[in-house]
Amino acid sequence: MGFLRPLIREGRAEISNDGLDLVELWKSRLEAERALRKEAERMVEYRMRELAEIRKVLERRVHERTRELELEIEVRRQAEAELAKAYREAAQDSRMKSQFLASMSHEIRTPMNGVIGMLQVLASTELTEEQRDYADTIRRCADDLLVLLNDILDLSRLEAGRLDLEQTPISLADTVGHVVTLLSPLAVKKGLSLRLIVPPETQDLVVGDGLRLRQILTNLIGNAIKFTHSGGVFVSFRQVRRLDDLVHVQFEVQDTGIGIPEDQQARIFERFTQSDTSTTRLYGGTGLGLAIVRSLVTLMDGDVHVESELARGSRFYFTVPLKLVPGQTTPRRTVTAASSALVGLRALVVDDNHVNLKVAQHMLKSFALEVFATDSAAAALEHARTNPVDFIFTDLYMPEIDGFVLIEQIQKAEIHAPVIVMTATNVPEDLRRCQEAGVAAILQKPIHRNGVREVLDTLLERFPTKNGEIKVSEIVGTPGI
Ligand code: ADP
């Protein structure tokens, strides 16, 4: 209304009664609006206060939660640090355990070499029946102890993930053939036939770990012979799949033996497990062989199975993928066993341990070799420089001049005889060094006649000599094996 007053005064505006009513109406509306605005302002203020309260509560909660999270993170950080520490300690423990096992095996194998070797020497002398019986019993116990020692060592290495597979070109027929050849005397002794069936159309050269494949086959064929009393054992292998340069090869060992109860078949692959409690009493053994077989096959990315029927026999088979050696066209190599080819060849043997030296000397002499034996690497070198030598057998760890230096000196002196290292070591670096130095073969101590013979036969293939007969009771297959 105030704004009308100057206009009324100047006569430019009039207020009628109706106008006065309107003014009153506006006035009351204005007041109502003002009251409403105030109310709204109060409401806003109230809401603001409420929001501020809520904000405070929220801030307090966020703060509390942040603190809780910080604590949680701290606890986790501590747990992680403890875990990392525990892991480091476990890794250190595992390294120490492997180191301990490697040293122990070396320490135990060295005297075992003496025990087994001297027993072989003893057995070749004149003995009364009673004495021979005692010597045989000691020999069997020593052999069992050595097998157990090697099995425990292998299994602990496998379980610690410390067993590396070699990747070298190998012949399938030779690999299987060698195991069959080595085990055939056991089969013959029990009056069993041992047959190896070689497939005619299989590519033979593959890349793999020959030593470990032989170990698997030795376990399976050894068991088959052990648990069979009549009939025989059949060994075979065949290519089941091929993808480019990768072949899946299935190896099979079938026997006509005692069989395994169905409910035991899955268990026998566990360590220290035998199919029934009387097995140890009747057949001996430790129940480690098949555990090693399964671990090795798994390491090779393969699988192993058994089918068996009580009193009818068992069939063990495993399949592993193997890379083909490219460009092979030739059929299998021949597994040979030289007989008279060794007569008169000259071997030089050096080992600072007198018992081991004697063992090697006797063994080589029994193959009709002429042997020069010495405990000094210097004397060995001198002998090789001044006399013709066909094979040099040397120990690795010797005082003054060790095996590595001796090999170096032999090469420097341009003495071309193949060097065979005899060692109880398992230290991979040392074995690798031997290979790099170009040694012809490594014989693990305690050395065995069969192992020495195998090495000599293999090396003999480089000589133009006549080969003897294969000592397997029966081998079926294409010519060549
Ligand atoms: P070991 O032969 O030292 O007892 P293995 O792990 O090689 O240990 O074998 C475990 C068990 O499986 C044997 O004790 C035996 O009961 C059973 N077994 C293995 N191979 C055969 C087989 N060819 N025939 C019958 N039983 C077998």
Side-chain angles (χ1 to χ4, degrees), residues 223-224 226-227 255 258-260 268 273-276 279 284-291 314 316:
N223 274 349
K226 183 159 94 171
F227 295 108
D255 63 56
I258 60 170
I260 305 160
I268 53 168
T273 306
Q274 300 185 313
S275 88
D276 79 65
T279 303
T286 56
L288 285 177
L290 289 179
S314 311
F316 283 83

Side-chain angles (χ1 to χ4, degrees), residues 176-177 179-185 187-188 191-198 221 231-236 469-478 481:
V176 186
V179 180
V180 172
T181 308
L182 280 179
L183 294 180
S184 70
V188 172
L192 304 172
S193 74
L194 175 60
R195 296 176 114 209
L196 167 60
I197 298 150
V198 180
I221 302 172
V233 176
F234 306 87
V235 183
S236 66
E469 298 241 293
I470 303 164
K471 294 246 185 314
V472 182
S473 62
E474 211 176 335
I475 291 181
V476 179
T478 49
I481 184 156

